[in-house]
Amino acid sequence: NATVVKEPDGIVILEAPISGLYTQGVFKEARKRHPGIPITSVLSTSDSWPHTGGVRQAVAQGLPVYILDLNRPLLDRMMSAPHTIEPDALQKSTNSKEPHWKIVAGKLEIGSGANRMELYPLRGASTERQYMVYFPEHHLLYASDTLALNDDGSLYDPELMNEVAQAVQREHLDVETVFAMHQGPMPWSQVMALIEKSRHT
């Protein structure tokens, strides 16, 4: 559900999912794997609750959060909503509660070296509120909330992946492997074959 990316200047957390407690656990695991290295930012690639549930935790820690331009109004409301019945980390925070948003409106590059990333808004009919993350050195694509398989191995929603394929073509990306929040790494060629198969079933 989340990915820990080690950059030369610190750790980037890809997704702050589920809840504040869950995201706190992701941060703890990142620090355990890379002791002494600071967490520098968080990427939140979709507006759906499984992706945004821990964003308040990231804001409470003063971390910059990369969000899609279209999702800012929703996330602004989520950050300003009072949590007085069961106060969370942001409600209890004595620091500034103003989020440090980094807005993704077009191609945006993060980091350097082997794990550098490129962020691209998808802008499809069904994926307008998601962005994908491409690791050029690894030919690896993180496809946000678009890739999931049924029990029989077919695509859960072929249109979502078709829009990812269109965005990959549009941005001239050389993808060999793809993964997403609900799906581990798969060969890109296999996913393309599943898209093609879905057109004939």
Side-chain angles (χ1 to χ4, degrees), residues 41-45 64-68 102 104 108 110 119 131:
S41 60
V42 170
L43 311 184
S44 182
T45 71
V65 183
Y66 288 78
I67 64 170
L68 190 68
K102 298 284 191 178
V104 181
L108 196 60
I110 301 178
L119 316 184
Y131 67 82

Side-chain angles (χ1 to χ4, degrees), residues 56 58-65 72 76 79-80 90 93-101:
R56 284 178 61 94
V59 171
Q61 295 199 17
L63 293 169
V65 183
R72 180 170 184 169
D76 278 339
M79 297 311 108
S80 62
L90 185 58
S93 175
T94 55
N95 301 324
S96 170
K97 294 177 181 171
E98 286 298 312
H100 185 188
W101 299 137

Side-chain angles (χ1 to χ4, degrees), residues 14 65 118 186:
L14 175 46
V65 183
E118 298 172 355
M186 291 179 60

